[in-house]
Every structure is written in C-alpha cells, then in structure tokens.
Amino acid sequence: MIDPKDEQLNISLIVEEEFEKLRIDKYLSSILDDISRSSIQKFIDEGRVLVDGKAVKSNFKLLKGQAISLYLPQEKEPEIKPENIPIEVIYEDEDIIVINKHKGLVVHPAPGHESGTLVNALLYHYKDQLSSVNGPLRPGIVHRIDRDTTGVIVVCKNDQAHLYIAKQLKEHSITRKYLALVYNTFKTESGRVEADIGRHPVDRKKMASGVINGKYAATNYRLIENLDNKYAYIECELETGRTHQIRVHMASINHPVVGDTVYGPSKDPFKLQGQALHAAILGFIHPTTKEYVEFRAPLPTYFTDLLSKLRRL
C-alpha cells in the first residue's frame, strides 16, 4: 500500500448526487475516460484512491458530497526518437505545416504505438522547429485524426501559432469537412446529428453516444450520392471535434462508415484497412496574417477506387 503523504495528488473529485450509491470503481471508470478500468482497479488495490482521506475497496458505494483523491504513479516519459518516415506536406510557412496524413499513420505515440507515428516523422524532418505546448510526446500537435482516417492535419512550429489555432478549435470556429462512404442510402439531402459522446461504459476503447458524462457533439451531413441502393457518399462537417465523432454519430443513425468494424458491421465486404473516411478540408484564421486560409487534400486511391466500383454496381 502506498503512503499518500509520499505521493503527488493528481485528481480530486466531489461526488455529485447522480452518482450516489454507485461503486467507486464504476464511478471512476465513467468519469476518467482516459484511464482504463484495469488501471483504476490496480490503483484502488494499491491504496491510491482515497474517499474522505481513507483508502477504500472497489465495491465501496459512494455518497453525495464525498471527496475522492487519486494519487497516480509517476511515470517516466518515454524517449521519442526521430524516424525517417515520408510525409506529404500540402503547405508550410514559418508558423504552420499542413500535412495530408496517409492511412495507417498514428498521429502521436501512445501505448501500443510508441514508434512509427507522425510525431516521429516530424522530429526527423523538423527537429526542434515544433511547438512545445503539448509537451515532448506531442510536439507541434494541435489536433489529431484517427490512424485509418486520411487527410488534412495542421501542425504548429511555434507556441504562439499553436495557442492561436487551439483557441479556434476550442471555440469550434474551424472548418472541418470530411468525405465518407457509409452503409444504407438516404432519403433526405442533408441532416444533423446532435448527441453527446463519451467513453463506452463497457468497452473502454470505444466511444458511444448518449452516455453519462458524455460531451456535447454535433455533426452536419450532406448527401453527395446514393450508391447501389446499399451505400451513400456523403460530406460531414464537424461543429465539435470529439473522439471518433463522425464514426459514432453516423452509426447512431444507422449509417456506419464503410470499413469501420468497430462501430459498423464486424465484417467488411471490401476488406479495407479501416474506415472509408477522409478529412478533405481544413480552414482557420492564420495565426500571423489573421486571414482565413483553407486547405484541401485529394481523395486517396483506395477511396476513389471503391467509389468507382460502387458506381458500376
């Protein structure tokens, strides 16, 4: 058992009425969506979780107003090494690098992906010319897109540019338009999905809509073309930028993204490497010129090939 006096307090929480009588382990799993359930169980067993100053067991049931303290173990940050990974630069100046991310490329190191990421590539090509706002594990990274989603992503070279663009992301004023192939045809030309998104209550690797402590999320979509009476080619514009937002929202209205075996059918009839989703347009106010700029990434070959195939069916 750890002695809290020798540890650094990382998280403090006050139990709200809606969580009264909930087990401590289930409460923490629903609140702390970036910590796995097994890790939470381990922290409780080690005495790192205190309720009103006392260590508790996993089945401890909470009361409104109780104070929870969590003392996380201090982890040594891994060294991120530069790697000569090709990247496709759409635009570059003294403040920003706009990249067309290819399929299968993870944006930044994470458990299971300590190397071979966009960050490893950036460190090789740009060395110390990257913003430091998000720390040594995410130099230059302002936002991310999924490993198997292709398209436009912006990287910042300095902290001033980083903070300026991050502010626009927080205010949801950035233009982000995606192209997607989805299951099932549409009867309407456009629509909107508003549904909170948060960590899935059972499978912590997934996101879900309509969950406790989910965050507001909105996606506007426009039909480009129905295909073969089974699929549709659409454009989605994000108002918010939650993890897996388009994939979760489209699945919630019975239009999962083709190739997405996490939120859609478990078997992909086209044997794609992940979802048919492409970040086509990214627009924002430039941090130095203060003028609106917009960048586009052409559809990758796998997407255009599948589109052509569906049009012939």
Side-chain angles (χ1 to χ4, degrees):
M1 299 288 284
I2 64 111
D3 184 346
K5 291 183 291 184
D6 298 329
E7 300 283 330
Q8 180 180 351
L9 177 63
N10 298 94
I11 299 172
S12 296
L13 301 164
I14 301 296
V15 180
E16 298 178 359
E17 185 175 2
E18 63 182 295
F19 299 108
E20 193 164 43
K21 296 184 180 180
L22 190 66
R23 285 171 51 127
I24 181 73
D25 55 351
K26 292 184 177 180
Y27 169 77
L28 291 175
S29 293
S30 65
I31 293 290
L32 307 175
D33 58 12
D34 56 346
I35 302 177
S36 69
R37 180 172 292 184
S38 60
S39 294
I40 288 172
Q41 182 66 59
K42 184 172 180 286
F43 297 155
I44 293 173
D45 292 343
E46 292 175 346
R48 295 184 178 278
V49 177
L50 307 183
V51 178
D52 290 339
K54 295 181 180 180
V56 296
K57 294 182 179 181
S58 297
N59 61 358
F60 179 85
K61 292 187 177 180
L62 299 168
L63 296 175
K64 176 186 175 183
Q66 286 181 320
I68 299 174
S69 304
L70 179 55
Y71 296 82
L72 298 180
Q74 301 304 307
E75 296 184 2
K76 183 180 179 181
E77 289 188 339
E79 180 184 359
I80 308 301
K81 297 180 180 180
E83 295 179 44
N84 187 8
I85 301 169
I87 52 177
E88 181 183 343
V89 176
I90 298 173
Y91 171 84
E92 180 182 351
D93 60 26
E94 294 182 355
D95 295 304
I96 60 175
I97 310 158
V98 181
I99 293 167
N100 182 12
K101 189 188 82 66
H102 62 75
K103 203 170 188 64
L105 183 64
V106 175
V107 171
H108 57 74
H113 299 284
E114 288 78 12
S115 62
T117 72
L118 176 59
V119 162
N120 296 101
L122 290 169
L123 288 174
Y124 178 88
H125 295 288
Y126 293 95
K127 298 179 174 62
D128 57 353
Q129 302 176 55
L130 298 165
S131 67
S132 61
V133 173
N134 278 336
L137 295 184
R138 303 183 184 185
I141 302 300
V142 191
H143 67 122
R144 60 179 292 277
I145 54 179
D146 296 340
R147 176 182 63 183
D148 291 325
T149 297
T150 53
V152 190
I153 183 171
V154 63
V155 172
C156 289
K157 288 185 171 181
N158 56 70
D159 290 357
Q160 182 179 357
H162 188 127
L163 294 171
Y164 192 84
I165 294 177
K167 184 173 184 289
Q168 294 177 67
L169 279 165
K170 186 176 181 180
E171 294 172 347
H172 309 308
S173 61
I174 283 182
T175 300
R176 283 175 290 179
K177 294 183 180 181
Y178 289 68
L179 296 173
L181 288 169
V182 299
Y183 288 94
N184 304 319
T185 58
F186 287 85
K187 295 181 179 179
T188 56
E189 294 298 315
S190 61
R192 174 183 173 86
V193 183
E194 278 190 46
D196 291 0
I197 292 177
R199 192 67 59 180
H200 194 285
V202 177
D203 187 345
R204 307 302 290 172
K205 293 182 180 179
K206 293 174 60 174
M207 307 301 289
S209 59
V211 293
I212 296 175
N213 294 308
K215 294 181 179 179
Y216 174 79
T219 304
N220 295 300
Y221 62 87
R222 176 179 65 85
L223 175 65
I224 299 173
E225 184 180 358
N226 282 322
L227 300 158
D228 188 37
N229 296 317
K230 294 180 182 178
Y231 307 98
Y233 179 29
I234 64 171
E235 178 189 80
C236 293
E237 183 168 6
L238 295 179
E239 287 189 18
T240 54
R242 309 304 176 200
T243 301
H244 299 176
Q245 178 172 319
I246 291 174
R247 297 164 62 189
V248 172
H249 271 176
M250 297 316 297
S252 74
I253 60 169
N254 198 32
H255 291 282
V257 179
V258 172
D260 187 353
T261 56
V262 175
Y263 300 104
S266 58
K267 291 186 178 180
D268 170 25
F270 305 105
K271 295 180 171 56
L272 300 178
Q273 180 189 337
Q275 62 276 359
L277 183 62
H278 178 69
I281 298 175
L282 182 68
F284 51 87
I285 304 299
H286 191 281
T288 296
T289 67
K290 302 301 187 288
E291 295 181 352
Y292 179 76
V293 290
E294 191 171 274
F295 304 97
R296 297 169 181 259
L299 281 171
T301 302
Y302 89 90
F303 199 118
T304 55
D305 286 349
L306 179 55
L307 194 55
S308 297
K309 179 179 181 179
L310 292 176
R311 283 171 174 158
R312 291 195 300 267
L313 292 176

